[in-house]
Amino acid sequence: SSCVRRGYHLWIAAVVIFGPLLQYYVNPRTIFANHRNFFNIKFVQSAWGWTCLFVGGFILPVAYCASGSILLTLRHLSRLAVGAAIWFLSGQLFILIENVTGSCYQPVPDGLLLLGHLQDKSSCVREGHRWHGYDVSGHAFMLTYCCLTLSEEMAVFHRYLTARGAEAGVPMRLIFLLNTTLLALWNFMLFCTVIYFHEYSHKIVGAALGTLCWHLTYRYWYRSHWSPGRPGHGLFLKFPEKQKPN
Ligand SMILES: CCCCCCCCCCCCCCCC(=O)SCCNC(=O)CCNC(=O)[C@H](O)C(C)(C)COP(=O)(O)OP(=O)(O)OC[C@H]1O[C@@H](n2cnc3c(N)ncnc32)[C@H](O)[C@@H]1OP(=O)(O)O
């Protein structure tokens, strides 16, 4: 599971870079090409909420059962609060980028009328006009960050089983299965995003920023002492990642 975790960002990059080529081979009239489809409305548009729920439901029992410490468990859960801040701040950044790079237009018979007095997307759209700016794909960003977060957090399960020295109970296996299912759904919805939506560069930039946020947290900040710590950190002291019990 650690080699999957280590290379998973390369898989995500390949999906986003080469996935759009699939648009020439798939049915363009599928329900998944419709932005009102059930999975987009009920899941992706609350993607971080669902990821928090499932990953939190995984971290809580693993961290508390392995350490018995409420504080250490909360410290591991605080990675979800960091992700919530990343979700919120990224949304604000993408709105800023779209406003700074855009202009407000009104279609007229012989072209487009530029409405210079409307300086941001919300006031432009509110008055019934069209805003054209650089619209970074929030879906590509969010789905990339959620996939990478799930892969990092779930990789701990292997060490949890080793430390336990026995099969996981039914509830734990169910929680792991739910997280695996959510990861599969996020992968599928990311494929739909890269095949059916957005301009190419908008998806690339969104996924690249999602990967950067994952790298800066899981591969950099979480390795430092003053941080929520990496998944599994301080939980399986009897079985450090290198050592395998005979
Ligand atoms: C030390 C002690 C500490 C203790 C510490 C304890 C901690 C204890 C735990 C804490 C835990 C924290 C708990 C926080 C809990 C929350 O954070 S709750 C927050 C929940 N909120 C969310 O999850 C929202 C996530 N979703 C979003 O932000 C947005 O929907 C998204 C995903 C970014 C997408 O936004 P968007 O503007 O639609 O994105 P965009 O990609 O530009 O889409 C453009 C169009 O393409 C369409 N499209 C793109 N891809 C697709 C697709 N695949 N299918 C269909 N349509 C698509 C879109 O639907 C959209 O069309 P319209 O709907 O606009 O017509």
Side-chain angles (χ1 to χ4, degrees):
S1 64
S2 59
C3 57
V4 169
R5 176 180 58 79
R6 267 198 290 274
Y8 186 59
H9 63 291
L10 300 175
W11 158 255
I12 295 289
V15 167
V16 177
I17 293 168
F18 302 111
L21 292 172
L22 292 175
Q23 62 186 294
Y24 305 109
Y25 304 99
V26 295
N27 172 10
R29 280 180 296 284
T30 167
I31 180 71
F32 297 109
N34 179 336
H35 68 118
R36 303 294 304 160
N37 77 70
F38 171 80
F39 293 103
N40 187 48
I41 300 295
K42 296 298 181 190
F43 288 91
V44 180
Q45 297 206 351
S46 307
W48 185 250
W50 285 109
T51 303
C52 269
L53 189 67
F54 283 29
V55 171
F58 176 75
I59 293 174
L60 190 62
V62 168
Y64 191 70
C65 295
S67 69
S69 160
I70 291 179
L71 263 184
L72 186 56
T73 301
L74 283 175
R75 184 180 171 193
H76 280 281
L77 280 171
S78 66
R79 286 194 295 275
L80 299 178
V82 171
I86 286 173
W87 154 68
F88 178 75
L89 294 173
S90 63
Q92 300 305 306
L93 174 67
F94 298 162
I95 290 170
L96 177 68
I97 291 172
E98 193 170 6
N99 282 337
V100 166
T101 59
S103 302
C104 188
Y105 291 91
Q106 176 59 35
V108 290
D110 55 351
L112 290 171
L113 175 66
L114 177 64
L115 304 169
H117 63 289
L118 295 169
Q119 292 294 314
D120 63 79
K121 180 177 182 179
S122 55
S123 58
C124 175
V125 172
R126 196 166 43 243
E127 296 205 7
H129 308 307
R130 286 193 201 164
W131 183 267
H132 186 71
Y134 194 85
D135 181 10
V136 178
S137 169
H139 273 72
F141 175 87
M142 198 72 248
L143 290 169
T144 296
Y145 189 70
C146 286
C147 283
L148 292 169
T149 295
L150 272 161
S151 72
E152 289 282 351
E153 298 292 342
M154 287 165 60
V156 164
F157 195 54
H158 173 72
R159 293 175 63 197
Y160 169 76
L161 294 177
T162 305
R164 219 175 111 87
E167 283 285 303
V170 171
M172 200 62 227
R173 277 186 282 176
L174 182 62
I175 291 170
F176 185 78
L177 180 65
L178 283 173
N179 277 274
T180 307
T181 306
L182 190 66
L183 180 56
L185 177 64
W186 289 161
N187 270 275
F188 176 72
M189 295 308 283
L190 183 61
F191 262 111
C192 295
T193 294
V194 302
I195 292 171
Y196 296 116
F197 299 92
H198 301 295
E199 291 175 29
Y200 188 71
S201 81
H202 297 173
K203 298 177 269 201
I204 295 289
V205 168
L209 289 173
T211 304
L212 177 66
C213 288
W214 157 78
H215 187 83
L216 291 177
T217 47
Y218 283 92
R219 292 294 168 89
Y220 183 71
W221 180 34
Y222 292 168
R223 289 175 189 271
S224 73
H225 185 69
W226 299 108
S227 79
R230 299 183 65 210
H233 177 73
L235 296 181
F236 312 109
L237 298 178
K238 297 190 296 298
F239 300 96
E241 198 155 3
K242 304 281 180 296
Q243 175 196 353
K244 294 278 180 292
N246 43 29

